[in-house]
Amino acid sequence: MKLIYDGECSFCTRLAFSLQKQSIKPIEIVSYHTLSEEDLKKIHSQLTKDQCKGEVQIIQNGNRFPGFFGVRILAWNLRFYRYFVWILYLPLVPFLGMFVMVLLKKFKKSLG
C-alpha cells in the first residue's frame, strides 16, 4: 500500500507518519512534491500532480483510491480503527466524509 500526500503540510506529515505507526501491514509514504509527473504515472497511470495536490491518494493492488475513499481503504489496515471501518460504508457517510476532507483541505494550513 502506498500513501501519496502533501509533504509540505506539517499537519499532513504528522498524520501520515502516525498512520504508518498504527498500520498492520507496511505503508509506503510518499510526498507528491518529491515526484515528477513521470514518476506519478509509473505509480499509477491516472495520477497527476493536480490530483495529488487536491487530495490524498492511496494505491493498493494497482488501484487508486482518492480522498475519503482512500482513507476508508487505509483504515482497514489500522490496528484499532479496523473494527469500526464498516461505519464508513453506511448510507450517506461517504458524503459526510467527503465534506470533512474538503474542510481539512481548506483549513490544513491553520491545523499545521
Side-chain angles (χ1 to χ4, degrees), residues 16-31:
F17 284 99
S18 172
L19 293 172
Q20 187 179 42
K21 288 177 187 174
Q22 296 176 34
S23 69
I24 296 167
K25 296 177 186 172
I27 299 173
E28 183 181 350
I29 297 176
V30 181
S31 167

Side-chain angles (χ1 to χ4, degrees), residues 44-69:
H44 194 277
S45 62
Q46 297 175 345
L47 276 179
T48 65
K49 288 242 183 198
D50 286 336
Q51 287 174 325
C52 294
K53 182 179 178 181
E55 55 194 352
V56 65
Q57 305 285 324
I58 300 293
I59 309 297
Q60 182 182 35
N61 301 329
N63 296 310
R64 180 179 71 89
F65 301 95
F68 169 77
F69 301 101

Side-chain angles (χ1 to χ4, degrees), residues 27-43:
I27 299 173
E28 183 181 350
I29 297 176
V30 181
S31 167
Y32 81 88
H33 295 288
T34 63
L35 303 172
S36 67
E37 288 282 344
E38 185 178 302
D39 292 335
L40 287 170
K41 293 287 182 205
K42 288 178 186 175
I43 294 171

Side-chain angles (χ1 to χ4, degrees), residues 24-25 75-86:
I24 296 167
K25 296 177 186 172
W76 286 109
N77 192 37
L78 301 176
R79 293 189 201 291
F80 175 73
Y81 300 100
R82 68 184 319 186
Y83 301 108
F84 304 99
V85 176
W86 59 271

Side-chain angles (χ1 to χ4, degrees), residues 11 13 18 53 72 88:
F11 170 73
T13 301
S18 172
K53 182 179 178 181
R72 191 166 69 172
L88 301 177

